[in-house]
Amino acid sequence: MSTLKSSMLGAGCIFVAANAFAADMREYPYKPPLPEAKPAPVTYTNPLGFGWYLRGDLGYRMGHVRRAEPDPPFASSSEDKLGGAVTAGLGAGIRSRWLRTDLTFDYGGAQKYQGTIATTNDTSAKIQAHNLLFNGYIDLGTWTLLTPYIGAGLGAAYVRTSEYSSTGAPPFTPVPANTQWNFAWALMAGAAFQVAPNLQIDAGYRFLSVGDAKTGADAFGRRMTFRDVHNHEIRVGLRWSYDDLRPLQ
């Protein structure tokens, strides 16, 4: 009897062990856990990467006129001076890592012209120019938050000539103010200083040509033309980037 119990107990142990071994066998071949996936590196759809910015500028322009030229047979001026004026501008643009473009509008204050035709300072007028320019810039690298640049712009100038007066060349009678649109162009150089992650102070020089300015015509159709009006400007402004450089989606 005891032999039968021993046999049954042994058979039961073998059965339990066999089932445990079979369960273990079902888990083979062993598959180690997969390693954690690493995030894929960021790749730029456009290798330049783009960002948008707004800008505002204040400046002072110092004017120049090549000469004052009346209708024949009167002589042109022998001395010309065009005073200074404040200028203010707004713009918006797009930038890459080294190239920027923007569209700007600048308001210019009236500048006083004085010239000599017969006697010293016998001719005067006021010339005012507002300009709309499309500009391109090349950023020349960054050194300790300072980024120098060069640039150029093309566009149009709205030129107003008023308060003309002269004893040496017509029109001798008061004439209405004259306004006209001219081709305008500019050359720029300066540097931007990073003061915050999205904010730069921009300081620079701009040469701006706004073309000729003309007075209104008198009763005989005679005008005075101020040839090659241009300005040397010192400007300081802010550029605020509201879309940091990032890959295009």
Side-chain angles (χ1 to χ4, degrees):
M1 189 70 177
S2 50
T3 302
L4 179 60
K5 288 182 178 180
S6 297
S7 300
M8 293 178 65
L9 181 61
C13 291
I14 292 172
F15 177 77
V16 170
N19 284 339
F21 181 74
D24 289 342
M25 287 295 292
R26 284 195 296 269
E27 295 182 2
Y28 284 91
Y30 173 73
K31 295 182 179 180
L34 295 175
E36 293 184 5
K38 295 182 179 180
V42 175
T43 57
Y44 286 90
T45 305
N46 185 322
L48 296 177
F50 288 107
W52 297 87
Y53 66 90
L54 298 175
R55 67 179 301 158
D57 300 277
L58 290 174
Y60 188 80
R61 57 177 50 166
M62 295 156 281
H64 295 269
V65 172
R66 183 157 53 91
R67 68 175 180 272
E69 188 177 277
D71 291 340
F74 295 90
S76 298
S77 61
S78 59
E79 183 180 346
D80 303 279
K81 293 178 291 184
L82 184 60
V86 172
T87 178
L90 294 173
I94 186 171
R95 65 189 177 95
S96 70
R97 298 182 184 280
W98 56 271
L99 180 66
R100 292 183 289 115
T101 59
D102 58 35
L103 183 67
T104 57
F105 172 78
D106 291 280
Y107 168 88
Q111 298 169 264
K112 185 176 181 179
Y113 167 84
Q114 284 188 307
T116 297
I117 293 180
T119 60
T120 302
N121 294 335
D122 62 354
T123 303
S124 64
K126 286 187 176 179
I127 300 174
Q128 187 174 19
H130 315 313
N131 49 277
L132 182 68
L133 296 176
F134 179 75
N135 309 288
Y137 313 85
I138 298 176
D139 290 328
L140 303 175
T142 300
W143 291 270
T144 317
L145 304 180
L146 191 68
T147 305
Y149 65 84
I150 55 175
L154 298 174
Y158 181 74
V159 182
R160 184 177 189 269
T161 308
S162 61
E163 299 183 25
Y164 177 80
S165 175
S166 179
T167 58
F172 294 115
T173 59
V175 293
N178 181 66
T179 59
Q180 62 194 83
W181 284 97
N182 292 341
F183 172 73
W185 59 275
L187 297 174
M188 293 84 78
F193 183 75
Q194 193 86 31
V195 295
N198 294 78
L199 187 65
Q200 291 178 307
I201 295 177
D202 187 326
Y205 162 82
R206 180 170 75 176
F207 174 88
L208 174 66
S209 174
V210 298
D212 297 341
K214 295 182 179 182
T215 67
D218 63 12
F220 300 97
R222 296 175 301 192
R223 300 174 181 266
M224 174 67 79
T225 301
F226 303 96
R227 298 293 184 190
D228 188 20
V229 180
H230 56 277
N231 293 284
H232 300 279
E233 299 180 349
I234 300 299
R235 295 154 54 86
V236 177
L238 294 175
R239 297 206 312 258
W240 178 60
S241 302
Y242 63 94
D243 186 5
D244 286 337
L245 292 177
R246 63 184 186 184
L248 298 178
Q249 301 299 325

